[in-house]
Amino acid sequence: MSQLMETFEVTHGYPAGDNEVALADDGTRAAVTLLTNHRSEYAALLSLFAVIDSVSLPDIGNGYFIHPPSTVTAHLDEYGAVPLENGDHGTVFGSDGGGNLFALAADGTVHKSRTASWNDECYAVATSLRHFLEQLSDVIGQFAATGHSGTL
């Protein structure tokens, strides 16, 4: 990632934004405890937050973001879970630069909203959180290699 940011301005003609992966800290762990009270069945998401707090990639494609656990919990409190196209509900844990939401279902699948709405049904984009992160890694790699990226 650092190699990509070093050449970003030369390649794209404008400076890169704050593209970063924030590591988990004591605040993250406290927020994870609150999130566990909401959705303890989401072991994959809780495991992710044991390592990272958030991801901000505004310059990759139209942007990708994994929200910190405090934001995930606040969104659950304010909006609740989002509807999935299979009739289940998911917990929003991220978004893209267009405002579309990424949600994790209880079965571990990752879903994406079709629009920037909490009421829109989300469709499956990955079989697991790990698969989602692998796809995101591929998008970053494609962007680093070509200056253009696919989407999730």
Side-chain angles (χ1 to χ4, degrees):
M1 182 69 119
S2 62
Q3 186 178 30
L4 169 64
M5 292 303 110
E6 289 172 7
T7 61
F8 187 90
E9 188 167 359
V10 171
T11 304
H12 299 284
Y14 58 92
D18 293 329
N19 294 275
E20 66 179 356
V21 175
L23 298 178
D25 59 16
D26 290 340
T28 305
R29 289 182 257 302
V32 166
T33 300
L34 291 174
L35 180 58
T36 302
N37 293 335
H38 278 283
R39 298 281 187 219
S40 62
E41 69 269 27
Y42 296 139
L45 191 57
L46 299 174
S47 294
L48 177 68
F49 287 138
V51 179
I52 69 160
D53 179 71
S54 60
V55 174
S56 177
L57 302 171
D59 295 314
I60 305 300
N62 74 335
Y64 292 97
F65 306 91
I66 295 178
H67 305 159
S70 58
T71 300
V72 174
T73 300
H75 286 160
L76 277 170
D77 288 342
E78 187 169 347
Y79 305 111
V82 293
L84 307 178
E85 67 183 359
N86 64 4
D88 290 337
H89 286 81
T91 297
V92 171
F93 69 90
S95 59
D96 68 15
N100 293 10
L101 306 172
F102 294 108
L104 184 66
D107 68 2
T109 56
V110 175
H111 300 254
K112 182 179 179 181
S113 64
R114 295 187 196 309
T115 63
S117 171
W118 286 80
N119 299 316
D120 189 20
E121 285 186 346
C122 300
Y123 62 97
V125 294
T127 57
S128 66
L129 185 56
R130 179 184 179 125
H131 183 223
F132 171 81
L133 294 172
E134 289 169 349
Q135 288 179 23
L136 182 56
S137 178
D138 290 345
V139 166
I140 293 167
Q142 181 181 0
F143 186 80
T146 67
H148 305 287
S149 65
T151 59
L152 291 173

